[in-house]
């Protein structure tokens, strides 16, 4: 099973836009941040920043929220606005 | 009340949008349109283009939420928002906003509010490209200050 | 800075005016357009038409003065005002105002200011025609209050 | 010699738009108001109102201003705005 990961904006440009996190268990958003930081070289520091928010299946959620293995997680740096 | 908020890869055609928005409108005295254009310079340096990254689905919903909030907050008749994504050349339209209302104060305020929200809370990630490279943009202090005018 | 203020017997063509105003504009980030339309009702009763009486020459100068004042007061690039005179049917354009500026706050404020001045100080005498006859109009209390927002 | 008179807006509708005031002398605006009020039936009261202003050759002037016989005087009720 895999969690599909999207890095938006500058993070997509720096680390690649699409990633996959292999997982068979339910993870917290906090754990997704940590595992992604381990897996994607150079991303660990930025993934701990509170202004980098995560959306699960298109909804921004707190770090305590849960992520199932079939869900999509988007990593959202601060919006620039339009 | 008709509220539409759309994302478009093509430049919004401001004149055609305005014409369609005005057509047959006999109960409203005021239409305010805002057209946001890509500038050819920023912060003293030339800008050769913009890229507006978006998150499909999520970004559209951010536009819809902002438009709906404006419709709930001001006594207006109709709102139309069309926001560009992707690559934008200087002089091209980034955003078209139109608001119709019986009276002009509400139309002005709703358009102003829409733009303040869109400039800070629309889910875009903007890259400015120039001769010395590219940089990713955050809302300016002025943008954040403008937004605070509407806090309840 | 180009400031134009014109009187027209024909309805201003808002979409063509907007297109011409936007064309080739690469240094400004913001264009605000206001379109004032003749409403089909007022004060609870139907309105079948308006007549805007004017004083040739004098009325044009009142428009030019208001536009020039806006240009002197706000950091804007261009201003265009086209105001109708004569007979106006419901749904037709009475006034088109466009303001371009590097930044949106100035464009919004200048357009807002222009309309507040135009609604009280433009040299017109407006007659509303309805099924029960005609009446000559004065600025509303709201119009006068709006104008006071700009007093120094 | 004659002073050309224009009544704008509602005053034009009520009293006729164009009038001529015969005069060989220089008059004050105050005197023009009075003579017009005498000449144009029913207009005397409205012509004394301070919110009815007079323009001489397209410039709004106070009641003490002078009007030569070849000038144009416009009688301006309060503007409706656009």
């Amino acid at each position: 099973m895999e969690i599909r990961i999207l890095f938006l904006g500058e993070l997509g440009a720096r680390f690649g836009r699409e990633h996959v996190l292999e997982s068979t268990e339910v993870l917290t958003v906090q754990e997704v941040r940590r595992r992604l930081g381990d897996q994607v070289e150079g991303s660990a520091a930025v993934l701990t920043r509170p202004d980098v928010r995560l959306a699960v299946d298109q909804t921004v959620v707190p770090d305590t929220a849960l992520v199932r293995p079939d869900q999509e997680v988007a990593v959202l740096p601060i919006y620039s606005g339009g | 009340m008709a509220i539409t908020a759309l994302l478009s890869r093509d430049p919004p055609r401001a004149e055609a949008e305005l014409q369609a928005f005005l057509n047959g409108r006999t109960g409203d005295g005021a239409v305010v349109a805002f057209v946001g254009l890509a500038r050819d310079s920023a912060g003293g340096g030339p800008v050769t283009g913009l890229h507006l990254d978006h998150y499909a689905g999520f970004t559209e919903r951010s536009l819809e939420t902002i438009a709906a909030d404006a419709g709930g907050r001001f006594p207006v008749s109709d709102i139309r928002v069309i926001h560009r994504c992707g690559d934008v050349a200087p002089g091209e339209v980034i955003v078209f906003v139109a608001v119709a209302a019986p009276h002009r104060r509400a139309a002005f305020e709703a358009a102003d509010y829409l733009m303040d929200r869109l400039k800070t809370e629309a889910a875009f990630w903007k890259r400015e490209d120039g001769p010395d490279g590219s940089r990713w943009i955050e809302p300016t202090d002025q943008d954040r200050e403008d937004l605070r005018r509407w806090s309840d």
Side-chain angles (χ1 to χ4, degrees), chain A, chain B:
Chain A
M1 298 285 280
E2 46 189 43
I3 301 172
R4 187 175 168 238
I5 308 285
L6 275 177
F7 279 29
L8 277 298
E10 183 172 14
L11 301 187
R14 283 172 62 188
F15 302 116
R17 192 174 179 86
E18 301 194 19
H19 298 266
V20 166
L21 202 61
E22 298 291 342
S23 172
T24 52
E25 11 160 23
V26 172
L27 303 176
T28 66
V29 165
Q30 178 73 39
E31 287 167 326
V32 170
R33 286 186 190 258
R34 192 180 45 73
R35 291 199 189 191
L36 263 180
D38 290 343
Q39 177 179 319
V40 180
E41 197 180 330
S43 75
V46 84
L47 280 164
T48 65
R49 289 178 54 165
D51 62 0
V52 171
R53 297 183 300 164
L54 269 60
V56 176
D57 284 354
Q58 304 233 332
T59 300
V60 173
V61 292
D63 277 8
T64 51
L66 300 178
V67 185
R68 293 190 316 271
D70 58 343
Q71 290 191 296
E72 175 183 279
V73 172
V75 181
L76 312 175
I78 192 167
Y79 307 157
S80 66
Chain B
M1 178 154 58
I3 297 181
T4 55
L6 304 173
L7 188 69
S8 165
R9 285 216 170 259
D10 300 316
R13 293 182 50 226
E15 74 291 349
E17 289 291 339
L18 180 61
Q19 184 160 29
F21 197 75
L22 292 173
N23 192 31
R25 193 172 291 282
T26 55
D28 294 314
V31 168
V32 171
F34 179 89
V35 183
L37 301 166
R39 296 173 63 195
D40 59 8
S41 69
V47 173
T48 54
L50 295 178
H51 178 75
L52 281 165
D53 192 16
H54 78 286
Y55 179 18
F58 185 87
T59 298
E60 285 89 329
R61 273 210 312 289
S62 76
L63 301 177
E64 290 159 7
T65 298
I66 291 167
D69 287 352
R73 186 170 181 132
F74 302 98
V76 299
S77 305
D78 295 299
I79 292 173
R80 187 165 177 85
V81 172
I82 305 176
H83 206 296
R84 191 78 175 279
C85 62
D87 294 317
V88 183
E92 287 186 351
V93 177
I94 300 173
V95 59
F96 173 87
V97 164
V99 179
H103 301 290
R104 73 184 182 284
R105 177 80 20 246
F108 271 120
E109 289 187 350
D112 197 4
Y113 171 88
L114 280 163
M115 285 311 306
D116 283 349
R117 293 277 310 267
L118 289 167
K119 292 293 279 186
T120 47
E121 298 179 7
F124 292 102
W125 297 274
K126 187 191 297 179
R127 192 189 69 220
E128 268 179 14
D129 302 328
D132 300 329
S134 296
R135 64 186 194 106
W136 292 85
I137 304 296
E138 291 190 5
T140 65
D141 290 344
Q142 183 65 55
D143 287 331
R144 297 183 205 275
E145 190 181 308
D146 286 344
L147 185 65
R148 275 195 295 273
R149 298 184 303 144
W150 308 102
S151 60
D152 296 306

